[in-house]
Amino acid sequence: MITYAHRGARAYAPENTMAAFTKALDLKADGIELDVQTTKDGEIVICHDHAIDRTSNGTGWIRDFTLSELKKLDFGSWFDQHFAGEAMPTFAEFFAWYLKTPLLLNIEIKNGPVIYDNIEAELLNIMKTIAPKSFDLYNRIIISSFYHPSLCKIKELDAQFKTGVLFSARPVDVLSLIKQTNADYLHPHWHYLDSDWIKEAREAGIGVNSYTVNTPEEFAFVAPLNITGIFSDYPDRWLKS
Ligand code: G3P
Ligand code: MG
């Protein structure tokens, strides 16, 4: 099973910062999961919440700040003084670093309640501009969202990009999510994993990555199921021996 470090290795460093991403690499995670949104001046930045209150010394919504305003804030001290001064990364800054690593990547588009028009096109544009021709964008990266219209938009823009449908409820027909979005992966909360639909998905060539698996009990539930990967705040706990 593949392990993605959730928001970077967020148990060990402030989530969605370069400190968390470099920690994930140090811990030998297979991949990184991160969340993207757009600033007032149209820059794609990495952050989970639409508001910055929980993870910085600022207050308000990302859509109301310019990038230079956000760059003045401290996204590390809330976690530990050791990380004081940690900045909010732009996706482009992260991606330039990421290209030098062997990691897989899951980019989660955080549309809803704020809807960022054009975030899908801008995201693909950044990746295609920065990545060298030799980089395998289509097999190293999955773009996921709880906001399923974003997944349809990605496929309209470039059907070769892999996408993952996030869900946190048990649909009557799980595979219908794939039919609706043309996605390549199902990304359920682990509560909604069950061997029947997993079997059906895997036989249809659909991958399954589940969030967020943190405790030994959660891992014991997930491990016997035939899924592709997990997202974990503690990627080091599940290293293959
Ligand atoms: O992509 C998996 C997981 O990150 C989804 O939930 O709220 O942690 O972004 P959340
Ligand atoms: Mg996420």
Side-chain angles (χ1 to χ4, degrees):
M1 236 176 2
I2 290 163
T3 302
Y4 289 88
H6 182 232
R7 308 182 202 171
R10 80 184 275 259
Y12 305 106
E15 65 183 52
N16 281 327
T17 65
M18 289 310 302
F21 303 137
T22 52
K23 186 71 185 172
L25 183 64
D26 292 349
L27 292 175
K28 300 193 171 16
D30 299 302
I32 284 173
E33 189 268 356
L34 54 79
D35 309 286
V36 291
Q37 306 190 42
T38 309
T39 65
K40 189 177 172 183
D41 51 345
E43 299 286 341
I44 298 188
V45 288
I46 305 179
C47 195
H48 179 270
D49 302 357
H50 282 215
I52 58 172
D53 302 47
R54 181 177 62 85
T55 58
S56 81
N57 58 346
T59 180
W61 287 36
I62 290 170
R63 67 160 176 204
D64 297 325
F65 288 91
T66 63
L67 178 60
S68 70
E69 287 165 347
L70 289 166
K71 280 290 189 187
K72 293 185 186 112
L73 299 174
D74 175 358
F75 280 80
S77 295
W78 71 275
F79 185 85
D80 189 299
Q81 271 309 311
H82 172 73
F83 296 101
E86 193 68 35
M88 171 186 266
T90 65
F91 178 72
E93 288 163 353
F94 163 82
F95 198 65
W97 170 85
Y98 165 74
L99 289 170
K100 294 180 245 146
T101 76
L103 298 166
L104 300 170
L105 176 61
N106 184 104
I107 305 163
E108 185 190 339
I109 297 176
K110 278 291 182 212
N111 261 340
V114 179
I115 306 299
Y116 299 110
D117 291 333
N118 238 17
I119 191 170
E120 301 85 358
E122 185 49 26
L123 190 61
L124 298 198
N125 182 40
I126 291 170
M127 289 194 275
K128 288 182 178 184
T129 305
I130 301 180
K133 287 267 173 294
S134 57
F135 188 84
D136 193 358
L137 287 172
Y138 300 133
N139 288 306
R140 290 267 299 272
I141 296 168
I142 300 172
I143 301 170
S144 67
S145 191
F146 287 102
Y147 190 79
H148 299 172
S150 287
L151 305 175
C152 299
K153 224 186 233 184
I154 294 288
K155 288 291 187 186
E156 279 161 33
L157 290 163
D158 186 341
Q160 292 188 81
F161 266 99
K162 300 287 190 296
T163 57
V165 194
L166 278 160
F167 56 104
S168 59
R170 193 347 178 146
V172 173
D173 177 1
V174 176
L175 275 287
S176 71
L177 298 175
I178 296 290
K179 290 181 208 115
Q180 289 167 31
T181 57
N182 264 328
D184 307 277
Y185 291 86
L186 291 160
H187 285 190
H189 190 281
W190 67 269
H191 290 182
Y192 304 106
L193 290 169
D194 85 52
S195 48
D196 288 345
W197 71 252
I198 292 170
K199 184 166 182 287
E200 206 187 328
R202 299 308 300 269
E203 283 172 3
I206 307 298
V208 179
N209 295 310
S210 187
Y211 68 97
T212 306
V213 178
N214 283 336
T215 67
E217 293 75 20
E218 289 162 1
F219 190 74
F221 178 87
V222 165
L225 300 168
N226 178 27
I227 66 171
T228 316
I230 55 172
F231 301 98
S232 180
D233 299 341
Y234 302 86
D236 52 321
R237 287 185 175 172
W238 328 117
L239 288 179
K240 292 148 216 93
S241 49

